[in-house]
Amino acid sequence: MTDTPRLPVIRLHPGRHKRIGLGHPWVYSNEVQMDAPAKAIPPGSVVRLLDAGGTALGLATFNPHTLIAARVLTRDPGATIDSAFLAGRIRSALALRSRLYDRPFYRLVHAEADGLPALIVDRYGDVVTVQANSVFMDRHLPDVLAALDDVLDPAAVILRNDSTQRAMEGLPEESRLAKGAVDGPIRLEENGAAFFADPLGGQKTGWFYDQRDNRAFVASLARGGRVIDFFSYNGGFAVTCAVSGAASVIAVDRSQPALDNAARAAEANGVAGAFEARRADAFNELDRLANAGETFDVVIADPPAFVKSKKDLAVGCRAYRKMTRLAARITAPGGILLAGSCSHNVDPPTFAEQVARGLVDAGRSGRILRFAGAGPDHPVHPHLPESAYLKAMVLQLD
Ligand code: SAH
């Protein structure tokens, strides 16, 4: 696909090579000498990155129209970027997951941290979903698919291209099958239980593997208790708690297809008797239960991102605070509360502050048992700590 000697060249402004030299994988557009030839490079091209003095820094994907102009692929300026290169990276990512997990259900590729900038691949046994979040990955999807075939030969591949990052790159939304066939919800396993996800259907995403370890932790505290899981989606928290021996679990979501998948999981794991799906707005239901004086031994609230862009920060923070206040009101004395956030614009200290304020608003005290992020199948690039978007705080309340 790419003939290395003829790659276009991008030169950085004087001094702007230092961050790259220290290991950071991105070059911002104001760091690039954006002359007419640079501007004319087609978005999604592979470029040779040079410092101001002409020393080669490596090869990168390039988009002259985005704030992140270049994403480093390799520090080796002589490398060839083709499907064999991509296959090598996918093979390494697979080797790591095979070390981490016994069963083939995980995030297989987590973008920069796996050396594949802007590429996300989730694995459901022999079905994979692919999200290409840059013009380079989008243009090179045929190579990505060939590389996946080479390494894994999946029976089906679903392109799940509907992210906000794609919109920023000027790429269209699409959700379609690129290979094979998928018949209804896909079965997956996590923490020893079976679940169902529908990456092609009405729901935008398939499964949130990122909460795997947090689900296991909360479930270990749920035995014999009454559990309620707000924003339950396909039942990840709720059904894991039921399987661990909770006396009863209620999954609350406003999406019927999500609740149907949760109910299916409860059935498949033999815990349908302890499971209830409740279609409702989470905030209304929290309010209603609090006013009715109902309490639960374990309360889980892991919502969609309330802060989708920096300008929503104040409003979103208030929503996390309110969610915590309402969830704390229905947590029994001695009970467990999990508050989650997947907004990458909200850093862990900011989130922790909203949770702390929400507890005070509810007149409750307690202690943090665990404050964790995503599992290790969502590794973080050492120079992109901000890409650690997930926060899950588990508390015991007095
Ligand atoms: N906790 C889930 C992930 C949440 S995804 C997990 O562990 O997998 C967000 C979910 O919140 C979606 O299923 C969506 O339907 C639901 N949702 C969003 N806003 C809601 C609201 N106001 N009330 C109830 N559910 C809501």
Side-chain angles (χ1 to χ4, degrees), residues 41-266:
I41 294 172
S45 299
V46 175
V47 296
R48 280 163 60 83
L49 264 188
L50 304 184
D51 71 9
T55 303
L57 302 169
L59 303 183
T61 71
F62 185 67
N63 186 342
H65 307 309
T66 46
L67 180 63
I68 303 169
R71 299 167 186 259
V72 175
L73 283 166
T74 171
R75 306 274 160 176
D76 173 7
T80 301
I81 309 302
D82 55 9
S83 94
F85 174 90
L86 299 174
R89 294 279 163 96
I90 295 173
R91 207 168 279 119
S92 300
L94 178 62
L96 171 62
R97 276 55 176 194
S98 305
R99 251 173 111 175
L100 290 167
Y101 303 109
D102 292 338
R103 305 284 296 141
F105 304 97
Y106 38 66
R107 174 149 294 184
L108 171 60
V109 173
H110 194 49
E112 271 78 353
D114 284 306
L116 291 162
L119 182 69
I120 301 289
V121 181
D122 285 338
R123 182 175 187 193
Y124 305 86
D126 60 1
V127 177
V128 299
T129 63
V130 173
Q131 190 172 70
N133 284 328
S134 70
V135 177
F136 170 84
M137 282 302 172
D138 195 65
R139 296 272 150 84
H140 294 91
L141 270 172
D143 296 298
V144 171
L145 298 178
L148 277 168
D149 271 346
D150 185 19
V151 176
L152 211 58
D153 195 21
V157 179
I158 296 163
L159 301 184
R160 215 197 62 199
N161 284 329
D162 48 14
S163 64
T164 47
Q165 294 106 297
R166 270 181 73 87
M168 286 191 305
E169 293 262 335
L171 293 166
E173 283 197 8
E174 59 167 6
S175 206
R176 66 178 173 86
L177 261 172
K179 180 186 178 187
V182 173
D183 194 15
I186 307 173
R187 186 180 172 285
L188 64 109
E189 294 169 33
E190 186 188 272
N191 292 316
F195 294 94
F196 296 91
D198 190 8
L200 251 191
Q203 289 284 315
K204 272 196 165 182
T205 53
W207 182 255
F208 299 104
Y209 285 120
D210 53 0
Q211 291 282 24
R212 176 195 319 253
D213 294 351
N214 301 321
R215 292 182 183 125
F217 181 71
V218 168
S220 75
L221 302 171
R223 197 157 304 126
R226 294 182 65 210
V227 176
I228 190 158
D229 176 15
F230 295 92
F231 311 97
S232 68
Y233 190 48
N234 293 357
F237 281 101
V239 174
T240 307
C241 288
V243 170
S244 305
S248 65
V249 301
I250 303 172
V252 181
D253 203 285
R254 68 179 178 196
S255 156
Q256 191 59 48
L259 291 172
D260 290 346
N261 278 331
R264 238 183 122 164

Side-chain angles (χ1 to χ4, degrees), residues 261-313:
N261 278 331
R264 238 183 122 164
E267 187 77 44
N269 293 295
V271 292
F275 177 85
E276 177 192 334
R278 197 174 282 181
R279 189 174 182 188
D281 174 82
F283 282 96
N284 289 345
E285 184 63 5
L286 276 161
D287 224 17
R288 190 186 72 75
L289 291 166
N291 291 333
E294 285 208 45
T295 60
F296 296 83
D297 303 302
V298 177
V299 178
I300 295 146
D302 172 41
F306 288 153
V307 181
K308 295 220 163 64
S309 74
K310 281 221 160 68
K311 67 174 170 35
D312 304 331
L313 186 62

